[in-house]
Amino acid sequence: MAVPRAERRPGQHAVVVALDEGFHLPGDVVGAAARPVPVDARVRVVAVPGTGRRRPVFRLVRP
């Protein structure tokens, strides 16, 4: 589920990721342009060094 927020840059979405292990993890998806993130989209966690972020950042995985 993606929730766009006004303070986010275009292409960055707040999401809740359903992990294969059954857990749900809030985070941000980057690189999704201005289009909505599909509910069944696969993502991969990415490192964002030096930002001091407390939320994980994900990038869409292209099939």
Side-chain angles (χ1 to χ4, degrees):
M1 169 176 71
V3 183
R5 295 176 58 184
E7 64 270 9
R8 296 188 188 285
R9 293 177 297 198
Q12 183 178 2
H13 304 274
V15 295
V16 175
V17 175
L19 302 175
D20 292 337
E21 294 82 3
F23 299 99
H24 292 84
L25 185 65
D28 297 313
V29 169
V30 295
R35 65 184 186 276
V37 177
V39 171
D40 61 348
R42 301 292 292 185
V43 295
R44 183 173 316 247
V45 69
V46 295
V48 182
T51 61
R53 298 182 61 89
R54 293 183 179 258
R55 292 168 54 103
V57 177
F58 302 94
R59 185 170 299 279
L60 292 174
V61 174
R62 305 285 183 218

